[in-house]
Amino acid sequence: MGRLTGGDPSLLRRINSAVVLHALRGAGSPTLTDLTRITGLSRPTVEGVVEGLFEAGLVVEAQADEGEARRQGRPARRFRFRAEAGHLLGVEIGPHRVSALLSGLDGRIIGAGSRAVSETAGADDRLDQVRTVIADLLRRSGVARSSLRAVGVGSPGIVEADGTVRLGTALPEWTGLALGERLRRSFRCPVLVENDANAAAVAEHWKGAATESDDIVFVLAGLSPGAGSLIGGRLHRGFHGAAGEIGALHLLGRDVTPEHLLSTTDTPLDPLDEHAVAAVFAEARRGDAGAQAAVERFNQRLVHDVAALVLALDPELVVIGGWAAGLDGVLDPLRGELARYCLRPPRVTLSLLGEAAVATGALRLALDHVEEQLFAVEGTATARR
């Protein structure tokens, strides 16, 4: 399945194809009359476009409702978008697990899989786990690898356009890794690699807490927090792909790293040791004064980091995700700090997607790529310029 109208020089035809395809995807099983009404195009134009979609394998004739057939005799022909004409993968590669989501061309999830990975695993071992999760997911879902049209991947680190991780301190052997190139060896379709916080921002805008907002900041909170942002509904990566790296703000005149802030001893925490981090918060909830002071220090640093980004971007909404999203006391201090510094402070809320945010955003990245190929009219929200 190549670009639907790649050999047709007519921009108008490409636009008409995109309009009809959008209508088919959103209207169930419409008739030609329905499509004419929905799109505003002439019937001959709609008929020609639908014929082309038939030939591309993207549309089939839908069966008429039995009640409609009895009432009207021979019913009008109905059509439906073939979401099963291809499949998409969204993959998250994290410090402690890898996960994958599988969908048809409509973006509806039809399968999921995940596997725990040691935080000390090297790049080769971690990528082997990714391939294992994907192979198992495809097998359980009965989907052939050849049916995949695009694979989106969310990864920690600063990611270049070709999928190379220019800097990735969260995972062993990740800095300089040609992640996109390594993964493309396993597929015959495009593999698109994105920073994990950016992917999560896209996910919240698509299916999460930010569906009604186009100017948002998503904070992937942790010992080394990161952030992704959408400006005017488009993902903002920055010139070098490093926008939102708020985890480095402690370098600006601050001597204490987040690992020291959350430590209850003189020894800093390991940023990848989630059990040690969780233990500090558990002790704080039990009333331990030292742990409560550590959590308060951590919350204040997170609040200041997010406030700095909000002052620069002026978003409508801030979404807090990552493992710190469930922590008591994060939202109110952040709201108070933003109200203190911002003329019109943004709304602040927690992620609705939780652990699925990064993989969901990676899936959206794959879907955007396929839609751009199908419609071939304009760039999508996640397209790289």
Side-chain angles (χ1 to χ4, degrees):
M1 182 182 67
R3 178 173 294 184
L4 179 61
T5 57
D8 188 343
S10 169
L11 175 61
L12 180 59
R13 180 174 176 81
R14 294 200 300 272
I15 293 173
N16 290 342
S17 296
V19 169
V20 172
L21 192 55
H22 271 300
L24 277 162
R25 290 203 312 176
S29 55
T31 64
L32 287 174
T33 300
D34 293 333
L35 290 172
T36 299
R37 174 180 51 80
I38 294 170
T39 64
L41 301 173
S42 69
R43 188 179 181 92
T45 297
V46 171
E47 289 178 336
V49 170
V50 169
E51 181 179 348
L53 294 173
F54 258 106
E55 294 174 357
L58 293 171
V59 171
V60 293
E61 189 168 345
Q63 291 184 347
D65 179 80
E66 292 183 4
E68 181 183 20
R70 286 195 298 269
R71 290 192 305 269
Q72 301 179 4
R74 183 177 181 182
R77 297 173 67 197
R78 292 185 174 275
F79 307 91
R80 71 169 181 86
F81 173 66
R82 289 189 68 236
E84 69 276 16
H87 293 87
L88 310 167
L89 276 175
V91 179
E92 176 189 9
I93 304 176
H96 299 278
R97 70 167 194 155
V98 295
S99 61
L101 298 174
L102 178 68
S103 83
L105 294 180
D106 56 0
R108 295 183 183 179
I109 295 171
I110 60 175
S114 65
R115 175 172 290 213
V117 182
S118 169
E119 67 269 16
T120 62
D124 290 343
D125 290 343
R126 200 173 299 273
L127 291 179
D128 284 343
Q129 296 297 328
V130 171
R131 296 185 186 97
T132 298
V133 167
I134 292 173
D136 179 64
L137 174 57
L138 294 177
R139 179 186 56 78
R140 288 187 288 106
S141 303
V143 171
R145 187 175 292 261
S146 60
S147 177
L148 295 175
R149 304 305 178 194
V151 177
V153 180
S155 164
I158 298 173
V159 180
E160 298 182 346
D162 65 353
T164 298
V165 182
R166 185 155 61 90
L167 178 64
T169 58
L171 302 179
E173 302 176 359
W174 220 244
T175 295
L177 179 68
L179 181 57
E181 179 183 335
R182 294 281 297 273
L183 290 176
R184 289 183 192 108
R185 300 171 189 171
S186 301
F187 303 98
R188 297 180 181 177
C189 63
V191 175
L192 307 108
V193 183
E194 186 58 78
N195 167 266
D196 52 1
N198 286 349
V202 170
E204 294 291 341
H205 186 250
W206 182 30
K207 291 187 174 184
T211 56
E212 302 298 322
S213 303
D214 283 340
D215 292 271
I216 72 167
V217 165
F218 176 91
V219 180
L220 195 59
L223 282 187
S224 182
S229 58
L230 269 66
I231 300 175
R234 293 188 64 89
L235 185 60
H236 177 68
R237 297 180 175 90
F239 186 76
H240 296 103
E245 291 295 325
I246 59 176
L249 286 177
H250 69 274
L251 300 174
L252 301 178
R254 295 177 177 176
D255 296 328
V256 183
T257 66
E259 296 92 314
H260 280 90
L261 281 175
L262 201 54
S263 174
T264 57
T265 67
D266 293 332
T267 303
L269 297 180
D270 184 336
L272 299 181
D273 189 349
E274 291 185 358
H275 296 294
V277 173
V280 174
F281 285 98
E283 291 170 7
R285 286 192 294 270
R286 288 193 293 266
D288 182 90
Q292 288 176 339
V295 170
E296 175 62 21
R297 292 194 300 268
F298 170 80
N299 285 347
Q300 278 300 112
R301 173 65 62 84
L302 180 63
V303 165
H304 289 160
D305 290 349
V306 175
L309 189 58
V310 168
L311 286 170
L313 296 181
D314 185 29
E316 177 187 0
L317 176 68
V318 174
V319 181
I320 306 295
W323 60 259
L327 303 182
D328 296 335
V330 172
L331 293 189
D332 286 342
L334 180 55
R335 290 181 179 124
E337 195 79 356
L338 295 180
R340 179 182 173 190
Y341 291 113
C342 301
L343 180 64
R344 298 186 65 180
R347 293 185 292 114
V348 182
T349 189
L350 294 179
S351 165
L352 291 181
L353 298 175
E355 290 186 344
V358 175
T360 301
L363 182 67
R364 179 71 239 191
L365 189 78
L367 180 59
D368 276 354
H369 179 82
V370 169
E371 287 186 345
E372 191 171 7
Q373 297 303 302
L374 289 176
F375 302 155
V377 175
E378 60 181 14
T380 58
T382 58
R384 289 188 181 266
R385 296 179 179 176

